[in-house]
Amino acid sequence: MCTTVQNRMETALLRSYIKSTVFPLTDLNSILQKNQNTITINLAVMATSAAPTYFPQVLWNPVGGQGGLIFWDGGLLNNNPIDRLWCERCDVVAADASEPPISCVISLGTGHKIPGSPTSLWFKLIGIASSVMSFATTTNAKDKNFESYMFDMNGRPEHRKTKYIRFDPLLEHDIGLADYSRIEELVGLTNEYLQRGDVKEKLEETVHAICLPLRDSLLSP
């Protein structure tokens, strides 16, 4: 789980396993290294979901920690933590081992809207402020950057077959984080998105990327 540590101004990854590689020497990493095996699922879920103005911040006082940690929503610094995920893959193997083979990286978006330009002078300032917030929390920029990065990685032998596939439907209108009453609308938009020809092709590509390496590993002596 990716979360933001408000009183350390850092991103923290809350794991269900012991990190095998070496932590950089910071107060936050020192606390996590000593106490990461005491983090509960309940704590991790609340920490990554503690969006300001929606849910309360989460205070964690680990045993032996140098003061408590205040967790806010992970999206404040990493609304799309795809690059953190990619780096994390090496932490599931020993520090002196080769990086694990990855057949497919799947990114699931929550819907995006093409940004427009404010036309009214009265709302221009508000529109600019809103655009700044949108850019700060957008997931598409990370998607495009990682897509370009993976394109370069596919040129290397160890990642030649690694697929990066993202699903993210286009929203015609803004649907805010608090618009829970519009869940059915989101379900409808998602179903329409999944019926598109290009999206069906991506689904097939995803199935092959996941299942073929698994089949090959099962058939190998």
Side-chain angles (χ1 to χ4, degrees), residues 134-155:
S134 295
F135 280 123
T137 58
T138 184
T139 60
N140 290 335
K142 283 282 189 75
D143 164 49
K144 297 303 180 185
N145 289 342
F146 191 78
E147 184 179 34
S148 298
Y149 168 79
M150 189 54 66
F151 182 82
D152 291 337
M153 289 295 99
N154 289 153

Side-chain angles (χ1 to χ4, degrees), residues 201-215:
E201 290 180 4
K202 286 204 295 184
L203 285 170
E204 288 290 332
E205 185 180 8
T206 303
V207 171
H208 285 290
I210 296 174
C211 294
L212 291 183
L214 178 61
R215 183 204 63 181

Side-chain angles (χ1 to χ4, degrees), residues 15 23 41 119 122 149 169 197 215:
R15 304 165 175 85
F23 279 102
I41 293 176
T119 55
W122 179 258
Y149 168 79
R215 183 204 63 181

Side-chain angles (χ1 to χ4, degrees), residues 1-21:
M1 292 288 191
C2 181
T3 185
T4 300
V5 185
Q6 183 269 340
N7 58 333
R8 290 293 191 278
M9 298 181 67
E10 293 183 59
T11 292
L13 299 182
L14 308 182
R15 304 165 175 85
S16 61
Y17 53 90
I18 301 299
K19 179 178 169 70
S20 60
T21 55

Side-chain angles (χ1 to χ4, degrees), residues 134-204:
S134 295
F135 280 123
T137 58
T138 184
T139 60
N140 290 335
K142 283 282 189 75
D143 164 49
K144 297 303 180 185
N145 289 342
F146 191 78
E147 184 179 34
S148 298
Y149 168 79
M150 189 54 66
F151 182 82
D152 291 337
M153 289 295 99
N154 289 153
R156 303 185 179 189
E158 64 270 26
H159 296 300
R160 198 173 305 281
K161 295 183 179 180
T162 303
K163 301 286 187 181
Y164 171 62
I165 303 172
R166 178 169 171 82
F167 298 94
D168 192 26
L170 176 66
L171 304 178
E172 295 183 1
H173 307 286
D174 285 324
I175 299 181
L177 185 62
D179 289 338
Y180 62 89
S181 62
R182 301 175 68 180
I183 292 295
E184 291 301 321
E185 182 180 348
L186 284 172
V187 171
L189 289 170
T190 302
N191 287 332
E192 291 177 9
Y193 174 76
L194 293 174
Q195 294 305 312
R196 283 173 32 184
D198 60 324
V199 177
K200 286 184 176 181
E201 290 180 4
K202 286 204 295 184
L203 285 170
E204 288 290 332

Side-chain angles (χ1 to χ4, degrees), residues 47-119:
T48 195
S49 305
T53 74
Y54 291 103
F55 300 107
Q57 62 187 21
V58 176
L59 175 63
W60 182 45
N61 286 302
V63 177
Q66 301 96 326
L69 299 181
I70 298 175
F71 293 130
W72 283 9
D73 176 22
L76 293 173
L77 293 178
N78 290 278
N79 216 27
N80 182 349
I82 187 69
D83 51 349
R84 299 304 301 263
L85 170 68
W86 181 253
C87 294
E88 186 71 5
R89 79 195 192 284
C90 292
D91 284 334
V92 298
V93 297
D96 57 350
S98 300
E99 62 182 72
I102 303 295
S103 64
C104 186
V105 178
I106 302 172
S107 177
L108 302 179
T110 57
H112 69 281
K113 185 175 180 292
I114 298 175
S117 300
T119 55

